[in-house]
């Protein structure tokens, strides 16, 4: 289990950390709710398949009125009316079909397992989006602070250049250069504020609320020892691969089910009816038992076409499994390399910031002694700003890359991260629905309560 710990800034109210953002995304995601509903629909497909193994009972009430006229060529016809009511109870039960419906039930179960894994994949995407939104707000906030600080420093440089111009130490050109750089920085600050506004909007969309004060630095999850280890873990546990494997299993069962359904089937039937005449005191009671063997011999080529279609669908999902496996392995490789590059970039940018700061402070000191021009100072300050911007970008990139690698391995879930949320248990609804309970049964009433709690009824 990966545990995410965040350091709070001392002396301030509790700030939001990355865990808070992911909890918010998990609890408020409409996409998660949509896919949970799709999973419940797949659960009901199991119930529907299970119901086909049971008898079908119909109750029929029919009222009938007969008109009859009798007569001859010499005698006028006499019309009689007869009214009767029939109540009938009929039962049909497919008692043998060579196992076709049982295979259909097994295929529905595999589809449920595939849909569960698809739900996990959606959960990973939602959490990764929250991670990216979180660190983008942090990045843009730091960029705004950096531009504001740079604007303050340039304002000081402008005032110093103006003072030196007043005493004749520099020319008007030096003052104009300082004014130009201040104007450019104001423009950069406006762009940074726009970027922060966009980042906050994306955060609100991904997490479900506007960001507060965010903790800038969090401890990152421990990465794999090697790329090979990461790829091996992903092949074993990534939800997209597991979903594709269950889809293949369902397709295999469907091929068998279609082939079996072309064979003979045996159906038992029972009908009990009572007919009472309302025009007289007559009545009749009837009962019928039947056992029917059915074998379809010809359907214009449609029978074999159904088998071929099922096999083609199976071949399609088999190919998809191979594609998904390759994509997952590549995603792991891309995320692993991205993280390594981000870490190298962060280390290099830290050294760049250190060197640029030393250079800037030295050039500014030399400028006070007349050994450097205002342009030299402004150039050194811009280089320091560029280095600091690269550093905060590299820090955000490292953080996002670490969680992207976690997602690529199939480990970015609320359960594996240990998030303080009510984990959605897909087995609760499935266990209630899988046996197709009737509404009046105890299990059916429990299922109704679950639906009511979900706000779906």
């Amino acid at each position: 289990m990966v545990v995410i710990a965040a350091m709070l800034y001392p002396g301030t109210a509790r700030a939001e950390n990355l865990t808070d953002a992911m909890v918010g995304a998990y609890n408020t995601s409409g996409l998660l709710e949509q896919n949970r509903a799709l999973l419940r629909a797949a659960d009901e497909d199991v119930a529907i398949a299970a119901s086909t193994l049971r008898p079908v009972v119909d109750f029929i009430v029919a009222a009938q009125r007969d008109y009859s006229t009798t007569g001859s060529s010499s005698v006028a016809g006499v019309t009689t009316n007869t009214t009767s009511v029939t109540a009938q109870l009929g039962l049909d039960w497919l008692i043998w079909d060579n196992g076709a419906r049982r295979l259909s039930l097994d295929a529905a179960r595999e589809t449920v397992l595939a849909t569960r894994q698809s739900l996990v994949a959606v959960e990973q995407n939602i959490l990764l989006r929250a991670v990216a939104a979180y660190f983008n707000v942090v990045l843009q906030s730091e960029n705004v602070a950096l531009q504001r600080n740079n604007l303050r420093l340039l304002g000081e440089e402008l005032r110093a250049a103006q003072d030196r111009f007043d005493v004749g130490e520099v020319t008007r050109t030096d003052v104009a250069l300082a004014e130009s750089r201040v104007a450019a920085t104001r423009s950069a600050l406006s762009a940074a504020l726009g970027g922060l506004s966009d980042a906050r909007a994306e955060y609100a969309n991904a997490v479900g609320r506007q960001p507060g004060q965010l903790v800038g630095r969090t401890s990152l999850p421990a990465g794999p020892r090697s790329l090979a280890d990461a790829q091996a873990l992903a092949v074993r546990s990534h939800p997209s691969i597991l979903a594709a494997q269950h889809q293949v299993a369902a397709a295999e069962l469907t091929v068998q089910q279609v082939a079996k359904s072309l064979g003979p089937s045996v159906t038992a039937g029972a009908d009990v009816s009572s007919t009472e005449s309302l025009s007289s005191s007559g009545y009749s009671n009837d009962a019928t038992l039947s056992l029917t063997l059915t074998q379809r011999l010809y359907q214009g080529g449609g029978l074999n076409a159904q088998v071929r279609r099922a096999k083609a669908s199976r071949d399609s999902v088999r190919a998809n499994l191979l594609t998904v496996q390759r994509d997952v392995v590549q995603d792991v490789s891309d995320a692993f390399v991205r993280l390594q590059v981000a870490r190298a970039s962060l280390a290099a940018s830290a050294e760049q910031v250190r060197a640029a700061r030393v250079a800037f402070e030295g050039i500014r000191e030399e400028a006070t002694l007349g050994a450097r021009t205002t342009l030299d100072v402004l150039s050194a300050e811009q280089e320091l700003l560029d280095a600091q911007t690269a550093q905060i970008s590299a820090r955000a990139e490292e953080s996002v890359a670490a969680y992207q690698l976690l997602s690529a391995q199939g480990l970015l879930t609320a359960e594996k991260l240990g998030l303080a949320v009510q984990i959605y248990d897909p087995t609760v609804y499935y266990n209630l629905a899988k046996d197709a309970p009737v509404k009046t049964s105890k299990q059916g009433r429990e299922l109704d309560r679950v639906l009511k709690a979900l706000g779906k009824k």
Side-chain angles (χ1 to χ4, degrees), residues 371-397:
R372 294 282 187 171
T373 65
T374 300
L375 180 60
D376 293 331
V377 176
L378 295 176
S379 297
E381 188 167 7
Q382 183 62 46
E383 186 172 345
L384 174 58
L385 175 64
D386 292 342
Q388 291 172 327
T389 302
Q391 184 181 39
I392 63 176
S393 297
R395 186 181 299 122
E397 172 70 8

PDB file of all heavy atoms in Angstrom, residues 371-397:
ATOM      1  N   ALA A 371      31.378  48.821 -12.649  1.00  0.00           N
ATOM      2  CA  ALA A 371      32.056  47.855 -13.506  1.00  0.00           C
ATOM      3  C   ALA A 371      31.089  47.113 -14.423  1.00  0.00           C
ATOM      4  O   ALA A 371      31.522  46.420 -15.344  1.00  0.00           O
ATOM      5  CB  ALA A 371      32.832  46.849 -12.646  1.00  0.00           C
ATOM      6  N   ARG A 372      29.820  47.215 -14.159  1.00  0.00           N
ATOM      7  CA  ARG A 372      28.792  46.541 -14.972  1.00  0.00           C
ATOM      8  C   ARG A 372      27.720  47.543 -15.362  1.00  0.00           C
ATOM      9  O   ARG A 372      27.444  48.514 -14.636  1.00  0.00           O
ATOM     10  CB  ARG A 372      28.152  45.384 -14.200  1.00  0.00           C
ATOM     11  CG  ARG A 372      29.089  44.235 -13.909  1.00  0.00           C
ATOM     12  CD  ARG A 372      29.298  43.357 -15.136  1.00  0.00           C
ATOM     13  NE  ARG A 372      30.071  42.165 -14.812  1.00  0.00           N
ATOM     14  CZ  ARG A 372      30.259  41.150 -15.632  1.00  0.00           C
ATOM     15  NH1 ARG A 372      29.709  41.178 -16.844  1.00  0.00           N
ATOM     16  NH2 ARG A 372      30.988  40.103 -15.272  1.00  0.00           N
ATOM     17  N   THR A 373      27.094  47.269 -16.492  1.00  0.00           N
ATOM     18  CA  THR A 373      26.025  48.159 -16.958  1.00  0.00           C
ATOM     19  C   THR A 373      24.676  47.678 -16.431  1.00  0.00           C
ATOM     20  O   THR A 373      24.539  46.566 -15.918  1.00  0.00           O
ATOM     21  CB  THR A 373      25.979  48.180 -18.496  1.00  0.00           C
ATOM     22  OG1 THR A 373      25.614  46.876 -18.968  1.00  0.00           O
ATOM     23  CG2 THR A 373      27.340  48.567 -19.075  1.00  0.00           C
ATOM     24  N   THR A 374      23.683  48.535 -16.591  1.00  0.00           N
ATOM     25  CA  THR A 374      22.320  48.161 -16.212  1.00  0.00           C
ATOM     26  C   THR A 374      21.844  46.963 -17.032  1.00  0.00           C
ATOM     27  O   THR A 374      21.134  46.081 -16.528  1.00  0.00           O
ATOM     28  CB  THR A 374      21.373  49.344 -16.436  1.00  0.00           C
ATOM     29  OG1 THR A 374      21.804  50.454 -15.635  1.00  0.00           O
ATOM     30  CG2 THR A 374      19.947  48.986 -16.067  1.00  0.00           C
ATOM     31  N   LEU A 375      22.238  46.902 -18.313  1.00  0.00           N
ATOM     32  CA  LEU A 375      21.853  45.775 -19.160  1.00  0.00           C
ATOM     33  C   LEU A 375      22.412  44.464 -18.616  1.00  0.00           C
ATOM     34  O   LEU A 375      21.724  43.433 -18.637  1.00  0.00           O
ATOM     35  CB  LEU A 375      22.335  46.002 -20.591  1.00  0.00           C
ATOM     36  CG  LEU A 375      22.007  44.890 -21.595  1.00  0.00           C
ATOM     37  CD1 LEU A 375      20.502  44.694 -21.690  1.00  0.00           C
ATOM     38  CD2 LEU A 375      22.602  45.216 -22.967  1.00  0.00           C
ATOM     39  N   ASP A 376      23.643  44.506 -18.096  1.00  0.00           N
ATOM     40  CA  ASP A 376      24.234  43.299 -17.515  1.00  0.00           C
ATOM     41  C   ASP A 376      23.413  42.819 -16.317  1.00  0.00           C
ATOM     42  O   ASP A 376      23.168  41.615 -16.153  1.00  0.00           O
ATOM     43  CB  ASP A 376      25.675  43.575 -17.071  1.00  0.00           C
ATOM     44  CG  ASP A 376      26.605  43.850 -18.243  1.00  0.00           C
ATOM     45  OD1 ASP A 376      26.322  43.310 -19.333  1.00  0.00           O
ATOM     46  OD2 ASP A 376      27.580  44.594 -18.065  1.00  0.00           O
ATOM     47  N   VAL A 377      22.994  43.750 -15.493  1.00  0.00           N
ATOM     48  CA  VAL A 377      22.206  43.392 -14.304  1.00  0.00           C
ATOM     49  C   VAL A 377      20.871  42.797 -14.707  1.00  0.00           C
ATOM     50  O   VAL A 377      20.432  41.766 -14.187  1.00  0.00           O
ATOM     51  CB  VAL A 377      21.998  44.623 -13.406  1.00  0.00           C
ATOM     52  CG1 VAL A 377      21.081  44.264 -12.226  1.00  0.00           C
ATOM     53  CG2 VAL A 377      23.324  45.150 -12.896  1.00  0.00           C
ATOM     54  N   LEU A 378      20.198  43.459 -15.664  1.00  0.00           N
ATOM     55  CA  LEU A 378      18.885  42.967 -16.094  1.00  0.00           C
ATOM     56  C   LEU A 378      18.983  41.599 -16.755  1.00  0.00           C
ATOM     57  O   LEU A 378      18.114  40.737 -16.559  1.00  0.00           O
ATOM     58  CB  LEU A 378      18.250  43.971 -17.058  1.00  0.00           C
ATOM     59  CG  LEU A 378      17.910  45.350 -16.463  1.00  0.00           C
ATOM     60  CD1 LEU A 378      17.389  46.276 -17.549  1.00  0.00           C
ATOM     61  CD2 LEU A 378      16.902  45.221 -15.334  1.00  0.00           C
ATOM     62  N   SER A 379      20.039  41.377 -17.510  1.00  0.00           N
ATOM     63  CA  SER A 379      20.224  40.075 -18.160  1.00  0.00           C
ATOM     64  C   SER A 379      20.469  38.981 -17.131  1.00  0.00           C
ATOM     65  O   SER A 379      19.927  37.866 -17.243  1.00  0.00           O
ATOM     66  CB  SER A 379      21.391  40.146 -19.149  1.00  0.00           C
ATOM     67  OG  SER A 379      21.120  41.063 -20.192  1.00  0.00           O
ATOM     68  N   ALA A 380      21.277  39.289 -16.126  1.00  0.00           N
ATOM     69  CA  ALA A 380      21.547  38.306 -15.075  1.00  0.00           C
ATOM     70  C   ALA A 380      20.287  37.996 -14.276  1.00  0.00           C
ATOM     71  O   ALA A 380      20.038  36.843 -13.897  1.00  0.00           O
ATOM     72  CB  ALA A 380      22.646  38.827 -14.149  1.00  0.00           C
ATOM     73  N   GLU A 381      19.492  39.036 -14.041  1.00  0.00           N
ATOM     74  CA  GLU A 381      18.255  38.813 -13.296  1.00  0.00           C
ATOM     75  C   GLU A 381      17.270  37.963 -14.111  1.00  0.00           C
ATOM     76  O   GLU A 381      16.580  37.093 -13.567  1.00  0.00           O
ATOM     77  CB  GLU A 381      17.617  40.148 -12.930  1.00  0.00           C
ATOM     78  CG  GLU A 381      16.437  40.006 -12.003  1.00  0.00           C
ATOM     79  CD  GLU A 381      16.003  41.331 -11.404  1.00  0.00           C
ATOM     80  OE1 GLU A 381      16.534  42.378 -11.817  1.00  0.00           O
ATOM     81  OE2 GLU A 381      15.133  41.311 -10.518  1.00  0.00           O
ATOM     82  N   GLN A 382      17.215  38.205 -15.415  1.00  0.00           N
ATOM     83  CA  GLN A 382      16.336  37.404 -16.268  1.00  0.00           C
ATOM     84  C   GLN A 382      16.794  35.945 -16.310  1.00  0.00           C
ATOM     85  O   GLN A 382      15.975  35.019 -16.305  1.00  0.00           O
ATOM     86  CB  GLN A 382      16.314  37.985 -17.683  1.00  0.00           C
ATOM     87  CG  GLN A 382      15.361  37.268 -18.629  1.00  0.00           C
ATOM     88  CD  GLN A 382      13.924  37.353 -18.182  1.00  0.00           C
ATOM     89  OE1 GLN A 382      13.454  38.429 -17.818  1.00  0.00           O
ATOM     90  NE2 GLN A 382      13.214  36.217 -18.188  1.00  0.00           N
ATOM     91  N   GLU A 383      18.083  35.739 -16.320  1.00  0.00           N
ATOM     92  CA  GLU A 383      18.607  34.363 -16.316  1.00  0.00           C
ATOM     93  C   GLU A 383      18.253  33.658 -15.012  1.00  0.00           C
ATOM     94  O   GLU A 383      17.914  32.465 -15.014  1.00  0.00           O
ATOM     95  CB  GLU A 383      20.125  34.384 -16.521  1.00  0.00           C
ATOM     96  CG  GLU A 383      20.731  33.002 -16.664  1.00  0.00           C
ATOM     97  CD  GLU A 383      22.196  33.040 -17.047  1.00  0.00           C
ATOM     98  OE1 GLU A 383      22.681  34.108 -17.473  1.00  0.00           O
ATOM     99  OE2 GLU A 383      22.855  31.990 -16.918  1.00  0.00           O
ATOM    100  N   LEU A 384      18.306  34.379 -13.903  1.00  0.00           N
ATOM    101  CA  LEU A 384      17.922  33.797 -12.619  1.00  0.00           C
ATOM    102  C   LEU A 384      16.435  33.453 -12.617  1.00  0.00           C
ATOM    103  O   LEU A 384      16.031  32.383 -12.148  1.00  0.00           O
ATOM    104  CB  LEU A 384      18.238  34.770 -11.487  1.00  0.00           C
ATOM    105  CG  LEU A 384      17.769  34.354 -10.082  1.00  0.00           C
ATOM    106  CD1 LEU A 384      18.375  33.010  -9.683  1.00  0.00           C
ATOM    107  CD2 LEU A 384      18.113  35.436  -9.052  1.00  0.00           C
ATOM    108  N   LEU A 385      15.619  34.356 -13.171  1.00  0.00           N
ATOM    109  CA  LEU A 385      14.183  34.095 -13.238  1.00  0.00           C
ATOM    110  C   LEU A 385      13.891  32.855 -14.088  1.00  0.00           C
ATOM    111  O   LEU A 385      13.074  32.004 -13.710  1.00  0.00           O
ATOM    112  CB  LEU A 385      13.449  35.306 -13.819  1.00  0.00           C
ATOM    113  CG  LEU A 385      11.946  35.134 -14.051  1.00  0.00           C
ATOM    114  CD1 LEU A 385      11.218  34.918 -12.734  1.00  0.00           C
ATOM    115  CD2 LEU A 385      11.382  36.343 -14.795  1.00  0.00           C
ATOM    116  N   ASP A 386      14.571  32.750 -15.227  1.00  0.00           N
ATOM    117  CA  ASP A 386      14.376  31.585 -16.092  1.00  0.00           C
ATOM    118  C   ASP A 386      14.765  30.295 -15.368  1.00  0.00           C
ATOM    119  O   ASP A 386      14.088  29.264 -15.503  1.00  0.00           O
ATOM    120  CB  ASP A 386      15.197  31.734 -17.372  1.00  0.00           C
ATOM    121  CG  ASP A 386      14.684  32.862 -18.265  1.00  0.00           C
ATOM    122  OD1 ASP A 386      13.529  33.287 -18.071  1.00  0.00           O
ATOM    123  OD2 ASP A 386      15.452  33.324 -19.138  1.00  0.00           O
ATOM    124  N   ALA A 387      15.842  30.350 -14.607  1.00  0.00           N
ATOM    125  CA  ALA A 387      16.288  29.164 -13.875  1.00  0.00           C
ATOM    126  C   ALA A 387      15.279  28.783 -12.793  1.00  0.00           C
ATOM    127  O   ALA A 387      14.981  27.590 -12.596  1.00  0.00           O
ATOM    128  CB  ALA A 387      17.662  29.416 -13.253  1.00  0.00           C
ATOM    129  N   GLN A 388      14.760  29.776 -12.089  1.00  0.00           N
ATOM    130  CA  GLN A 388      13.774  29.489 -11.045  1.00  0.00           C
ATOM    131  C   GLN A 388      12.472  28.936 -11.647  1.00  0.00           C
ATOM    132  O   GLN A 388      11.853  28.032 -11.081  1.00  0.00           O
ATOM    133  CB  GLN A 388      13.486  30.764 -10.250  1.00  0.00           C
ATOM    134  CG  GLN A 388      14.665  31.210  -9.394  1.00  0.00           C
ATOM    135  CD  GLN A 388      14.435  32.584  -8.770  1.00  0.00           C
ATOM    136  OE1 GLN A 388      13.784  33.446  -9.356  1.00  0.00           O
ATOM    137  NE2 GLN A 388      14.994  32.784  -7.579  1.00  0.00           N
ATOM    138  N   THR A 389      12.078  29.493 -12.794  1.00  0.00           N
ATOM    139  CA  THR A 389      10.883  28.982 -13.467  1.00  0.00           C
ATOM    140  C   THR A 389      11.085  27.537 -13.900  1.00  0.00           C
ATOM    141  O   THR A 389      10.183  26.692 -13.755  1.00  0.00           O
ATOM    142  CB  THR A 389      10.554  29.856 -14.699  1.00  0.00           C
ATOM    143  OG1 THR A 389      10.356  31.213 -14.279  1.00  0.00           O
ATOM    144  CG2 THR A 389       9.317  29.349 -15.398  1.00  0.00           C
ATOM    145  N   ALA A 390      12.251  27.227 -14.429  1.00  0.00           N
ATOM    146  CA  ALA A 390      12.552  25.850 -14.830  1.00  0.00           C
ATOM    147  C   ALA A 390      12.545  24.913 -13.627  1.00  0.00           C
ATOM    148  O   ALA A 390      12.104  23.757 -13.728  1.00  0.00           O
ATOM    149  CB  ALA A 390      13.910  25.794 -15.532  1.00  0.00           C
ATOM    150  N   GLN A 391      12.983  25.404 -12.479  1.00  0.00           N
ATOM    151  CA  GLN A 391      13.034  24.567 -11.281  1.00  0.00           C
ATOM    152  C   GLN A 391      11.638  24.207 -10.787  1.00  0.00           C
ATOM    153  O   GLN A 391      11.357  23.041 -10.484  1.00  0.00           O
ATOM    154  CB  GLN A 391      13.808  25.279 -10.180  1.00  0.00           C
ATOM    155  CG  GLN A 391      13.992  24.427  -8.934  1.00  0.00           C
ATOM    156  CD  GLN A 391      14.742  25.156  -7.843  1.00  0.00           C
ATOM    157  OE1 GLN A 391      14.540  26.354  -7.627  1.00  0.00           O
ATOM    158  NE2 GLN A 391      15.626  24.442  -7.149  1.00  0.00           N
ATOM    159  N   ILE A 392      10.746  25.188 -10.717  1.00  0.00           N
ATOM    160  CA  ILE A 392       9.399  24.871 -10.229  1.00  0.00           C
ATOM    161  C   ILE A 392       8.643  24.003 -11.232  1.00  0.00           C
ATOM    162  O   ILE A 392       7.840  23.148 -10.853  1.00  0.00           O
ATOM    163  CB  ILE A 392       8.608  26.158  -9.887  1.00  0.00           C
ATOM    164  CG1 ILE A 392       8.393  27.021 -11.125  1.00  0.00           C
ATOM    165  CG2 ILE A 392       9.300  26.940  -8.792  1.00  0.00           C
ATOM    166  CD1 ILE A 392       7.527  28.263 -10.871  1.00  0.00           C
ATOM    167  N   SER A 393       8.919  24.203 -12.527  1.00  0.00           N
ATOM    168  CA  SER A 393       8.293  23.350 -13.537  1.00  0.00           C
ATOM    169  C   SER A 393       8.799  21.920 -13.417  1.00  0.00           C
ATOM    170  O   SER A 393       8.020  20.961 -13.528  1.00  0.00           O
ATOM    171  CB  SER A 393       8.572  23.891 -14.943  1.00  0.00           C
ATOM    172  OG  SER A 393       7.994  25.169 -15.122  1.00  0.00           O
ATOM    173  N   ALA A 394      10.095  21.760 -13.178  1.00  0.00           N
ATOM    174  CA  ALA A 394      10.669  20.420 -13.039  1.00  0.00           C
ATOM    175  C   ALA A 394      10.145  19.727 -11.789  1.00  0.00           C
ATOM    176  O   ALA A 394       9.917  18.511 -11.796  1.00  0.00           O
ATOM    177  CB  ALA A 394      12.193  20.518 -12.996  1.00  0.00           C
ATOM    178  N   ARG A 395       9.923  20.509 -10.721  1.00  0.00           N
ATOM    179  CA  ARG A 395       9.391  19.912  -9.495  1.00  0.00           C
ATOM    180  C   ARG A 395       7.964  19.399  -9.715  1.00  0.00           C
ATOM    181  O   ARG A 395       7.610  18.291  -9.289  1.00  0.00           O
ATOM    182  CB  ARG A 395       9.421  20.937  -8.363  1.00  0.00           C
ATOM    183  CG  ARG A 395       9.021  20.360  -6.994  1.00  0.00           C
ATOM    184  CD  ARG A 395       9.040  21.429  -5.925  1.00  0.00           C
ATOM    185  NE  ARG A 395      10.355  21.993  -5.765  1.00  0.00           N
ATOM    186  CZ  ARG A 395      10.653  23.284  -5.910  1.00  0.00           C
ATOM    187  NH1 ARG A 395       9.707  24.151  -6.243  1.00  0.00           N
ATOM    188  NH2 ARG A 395      11.881  23.724  -5.743  1.00  0.00           N
ATOM    189  N   ALA A 396       7.150  20.191 -10.391  1.00  0.00           N
ATOM    190  CA  ALA A 396       5.787  19.756 -10.680  1.00  0.00           C
ATOM    191  C   ALA A 396       5.784  18.566 -11.634  1.00  0.00           C
ATOM    192  O   ALA A 396       5.001  17.618 -11.480  1.00  0.00           O
ATOM    193  CB  ALA A 396       4.983  20.910 -11.289  1.00  0.00           C
ATOM    194  N   GLU A 397       6.670  18.589 -12.609  1.00  0.00           N
ATOM    195  CA  GLU A 397       6.763  17.484 -13.568  1.00  0.00           C
ATOM    196  C   GLU A 397       7.170  16.187 -12.873  1.00  0.00           C
ATOM    197  O   GLU A 397       6.628  15.113 -13.172  1.00  0.00           O
ATOM    198  CB  GLU A 397       7.789  17.842 -14.651  1.00  0.00           C
ATOM    199  CG  GLU A 397       8.145  16.733 -15.606  1.00  0.00           C
ATOM    200  CD  GLU A 397       7.019  16.365 -16.544  1.00  0.00           C
ATOM    201  OE1 GLU A 397       5.991  17.063 -16.571  1.00  0.00           O
ATOM    202  OE2 GLU A 397       7.170  15.350 -17.271  1.00  0.00           O
TER     203      GLU A 397
END
